[in-house]
Amino acid sequence: MAELIAEHTGRVLTLTLQRPQARNALNNALLEQLAAALEAAQGCEEVGAVVITGSETCFAAGADLKEMVSLDLVATLDDPRPGLWQRIEAFNKPLLAAVNGYALGAGCELALLCDIVLAGENARFGLPEITLGIMPGAGGTQRLLRTVGKSLAFRMVLSGEAIDARRAMQAGLVAEICPPALTLEYTRQLADRIARQAPLALRAAKQSLRHGMDVGLSQGMKMERQLFTLLAATDDRREGIDAFLGKRPAHFTGR
Amino acid sequence: MALIESAVSAGVMTLTLNRPERLNSFNDEMHRELAEYLRQAARDDSVRCLLLTGAGRGFCAGQDLNDRNVDPSGPAPDLGYSVETFYNPLVRRLAALPKPVIAAVNGVAAGAGATLALGCDLVIAARSASFVMAFSKLGLVPDCGGTWMLPRLAGRARALGLALLGDKLSAEQAERWGMIWQVVEDAELADSAQALARHLAAQPTYGLGLIKQALLAAEQNTLDQQLDVERDYQRLAGRSADYREGVTAFLAKRAPQFTGK
């Protein structure tokens, strides 16, 4: 049975993690499939946004420990895993996570990598790596720090304790809380709304936001202005403003 | 002998606190048994209503103080431990249970026994029953959800009066103050409570569960947030089999047969 289910509706691609026997643990094979699916979606004009989700009770409960336990220092040095994460991160269209239940370890890191996270009331986010004598290895310390701030990030990483959806929303990790049975549906609705916007504008805005997490304000402002200027040359900008002034819906072409 | 007696019939799980010689006060073992039954009630779809009552003349006298012998020369006890280990999970389990929970208060409910009873979804009490917030007289704080629920049930002024004075509150006064659903004659309590429970067990359980969660959520939501909750829950309720059955039965002018799904 496929462990990553892809489903295309409208302009939204939904990728569902489906390894129930391993609580959707993200082994290398699954990360590879995820990276490949996103790369395919990047080249596909029919896809405007992507939603990643798990089951109603579990998003992804970590990495595959059986895979990790056999790696010594040298093997870890040559681990293909960081490369897989980089491929996922390189995805340049809006990436949303619909998180129900556990998003732990690598599962939490995957959610942190996504642009927007919607969570079910039953969602729990945590980085329990420390309890295994290791530490987060795929952005857990970095993205969490930039997302929830110092004190909560330290607390979660050093204690390994998870937080619930409400706390995650207060801290800025989660954009919205939903009843678990509606999390995926609402994430898709949001993705659909996003996917109807001008593709080039989405791409530029995402690039600007991502860049902003990385650099100082003045550099970020410069980048933003360049991207803003770039959009001035697009058909979709003309269409967007014309449609607004003409009080009609816009029809974007991605040009 | 079981410290909790359980009987399941017609969709109702009746749990009877059963240490009558100690007014059904809680010890760790009774907590463990109760927790196990609540886990069952949550898992088992055929249970559609939970009824809590006490054996003998009392409902529940709260924590058994015999288990909390304080040695005056020893270190201070950690009461937070039993709250965290037993009472808080109990309150959370009852609140999260997506089916109605009835307390049939047959006699005195004191301390955690009182706050446990008052925290149930529907409280029906015998005329001679009473509620005693005994905590303050021992230098303690109402637990088992007491400080959260008392001001919501009785209003701040009465909550403070009850909690600070620790006096006995009669079932009749509790009913007058709107803190409980109903007072019935002592001899009728068991039958009335069973009838109520059986009625609820034949209703659209899934919808009732959503109503319960919505009202709980309302305690901390703004109107704006709560309107979103209503939209979400109505969306879910509208997809239930019982909603279809309810509408179909209404249009066909027949009695609905709800399955709880």
Side-chain angles (χ1 to χ4, degrees):
Chain A
M1 195 174 70
E3 296 187 325
L4 187 71
I5 313 293
E7 192 191 346
H8 197 160
T9 44
R11 290 183 50 72
V12 176
L13 177 71
T14 305
L15 300 173
T16 305
L17 308 171
Q18 198 167 59
R19 293 185 74 206
Q21 74 286 0
R23 297 207 298 167
N24 291 338
L26 296 165
N27 61 6
N28 284 4
L30 189 50
L31 280 183
E32 166 69 43
Q33 289 178 55
L34 200 54
L38 290 173
E39 278 158 2
Q42 183 157 319
C44 177
E45 273 188 34
E46 305 304 310
V47 174
V50 173
V51 173
I52 299 178
T53 193
S55 72
E56 212 170 287
T57 52
C58 184
F59 179 69
D64 197 320
L65 292 177
K66 285 177 200 131
E67 225 172 55
M68 200 187 297
V69 74
S70 60
L71 300 179
D72 61 7
L73 192 150
V74 177
T76 306
L77 205 58
D78 296 329
D79 197 349
R81 215 170 155 83
L84 294 172
W85 280 107
Q86 269 170 23
R87 285 169 60 195
I88 294 169
E89 194 194 0
F91 184 59
N92 66 4
K93 295 177 183 178
L95 185 58
L96 294 85
V99 177
N100 282 322
Y102 295 107
L104 301 179
C108 184
E109 290 173 309
L110 179 59
L112 283 164
L113 180 151
C114 291
D115 302 322
I116 304 173
V117 180
L118 267 67
E121 287 151 357
N122 64 347
R124 291 185 69 77
F125 297 86
L127 296 167
E129 283 87 344
I130 202 78
T131 64
L132 304 171
I134 54 175
M135 59 173 282
T141 62
Q142 299 307 299
R143 292 205 179 90
L144 191 71
L145 184 67
R146 285 158 175 77
T147 307
V148 306
K150 179 200 160 199
S151 64
L152 186 56
F154 270 76
R155 185 183 160 175
M156 288 172 67
V157 172
L158 299 188
S159 75
E161 277 177 12
I163 57 172
D164 63 13
R166 192 173 288 273
R167 188 84 204 270
M169 183 152 105
Q170 284 163 355
L173 201 163
V174 159
E176 201 177 317
I177 298 180
C178 323
L182 295 174
T183 311
L184 178 57
E185 190 173 326
Y186 284 3
T187 311
R188 278 171 153 170
Q189 277 178 16
L190 177 62
D192 181 63
R193 195 187 158 88
I194 289 171
R196 278 186 266 134
Q197 312 307 318
L200 288 171
L202 286 174
R203 200 165 144 180
K206 171 162 174 165
Q207 201 184 334
S208 186
L209 286 160
R210 282 284 176 101
H211 189 68
M213 305 253 270
D214 237 15
V215 302
L217 180 62
S218 61
Q219 264 227 298
M221 297 291 283
K222 232 178 260 171
M223 174 78 152
E224 183 189 77
R225 192 65 207 175
Q226 280 168 11
L227 287 162
F228 183 86
T229 310
L230 213 64
L231 290 178
T234 63
D235 295 345
D236 281 346
R237 173 189 188 254
R238 226 172 344 261
E239 167 64 10
I241 295 174
D242 273 358
F244 178 80
L245 295 176
K247 294 177 182 165
R248 60 172 177 84
H251 296 289
F252 297 120
T253 58
R255 295 285 151 192
Chain B
M1 193 185 66
L3 303 179
I4 305 281
E5 244 176 35
S6 160
V8 178
S9 112
V12 178
M13 180 187 265
T14 304
L15 297 180
T16 308
L17 309 177
N18 190 30
R19 294 181 75 211
E21 73 290 354
R22 305 277 323 148
L23 283 175
N24 307 317
S25 58
F26 275 108
N27 58 19
D28 294 0
E29 195 42 42
M30 190 162 111
H31 269 300
R32 285 191 200 98
E33 284 186 23
L34 181 56
E36 187 45 42
Y37 282 121
L38 293 184
R39 270 191 288 268
Q40 262 180 43
R43 270 197 304 263
D44 186 349
D45 285 348
S46 71
V47 172
R48 290 165 63 185
C49 179
L50 187 71
L51 175 61
L52 271 180
T53 191
R57 61 195 175 88
F59 174 75
C60 173
Q63 175 67 33
D64 190 335
L65 293 175
N66 282 0
D67 286 11
R68 282 197 177 162
N69 262 336
V70 182
D71 173 2
S73 57
D78 177 14
L79 301 189
Y81 173 81
S82 80
V83 169
E84 188 172 16
T85 313
F86 298 117
Y87 288 101
N88 287 356
L90 168 60
V91 175
R92 290 192 173 113
R93 276 200 186 93
L94 288 174
L97 198 68
K99 22 198 137 185
V101 179
I102 301 174
V105 184
N106 51 303
V108 66
T115 50
L116 169 66
L118 291 170
C120 290
D121 301 329
L122 283 173
V123 186
I124 171 166
R127 193 166 299 282
S128 68
S130 60
F131 301 88
V132 192
M133 303 302 145
F135 305 92
S136 59
K137 300 202 165 166
L138 292 168
L140 298 180
V141 176
D143 58 17
C144 203
T147 58
W148 186 85
M149 161 264 297
L150 273 178
R152 286 168 167 81
L153 284 179
R156 189 181 115 94
R158 283 169 177 160
L160 278 164
L162 287 169
L164 292 175
L165 297 172
D167 289 344
K168 185 166 155 177
L169 173 75
S170 69
E172 289 176 344
Q173 183 68 279
E175 189 196 35
R176 273 196 294 278
W177 283 356
M179 295 173 65
I180 64 174
W181 179 243
Q182 194 185 10
V183 170
V184 298
E185 298 310 322
D186 290 14
E188 290 164 14
L189 177 71
D191 287 348
S192 302
Q194 276 296 334
L196 184 63
R198 280 174 192 226
H199 165 75
L200 284 172
Q203 296 303 301
T205 310
Y206 179 71
L208 299 188
L210 290 177
I211 291 175
K212 177 172 166 173
Q213 297 310 320
L215 287 175
L216 266 177
E219 297 291 354
Q220 46 191 348
N221 277 347
T222 61
L223 172 62
D224 211 43
Q225 292 167 325
Q226 192 63 17
L227 289 171
D228 286 350
V229 168
E230 288 181 4
R231 172 204 61 203
D232 290 346
Y233 286 8
Q234 205 69 297
R235 186 164 266 148
L236 293 171
R239 294 171 188 178
S240 68
D242 279 344
Y243 171 64
R244 286 180 190 213
E245 167 62 11
V247 174
T248 311
F250 177 81
L251 294 176
K253 297 182 177 152
R254 63 168 173 81
Q257 293 291 319
F258 295 119
T259 58
K261 306 277 184 198

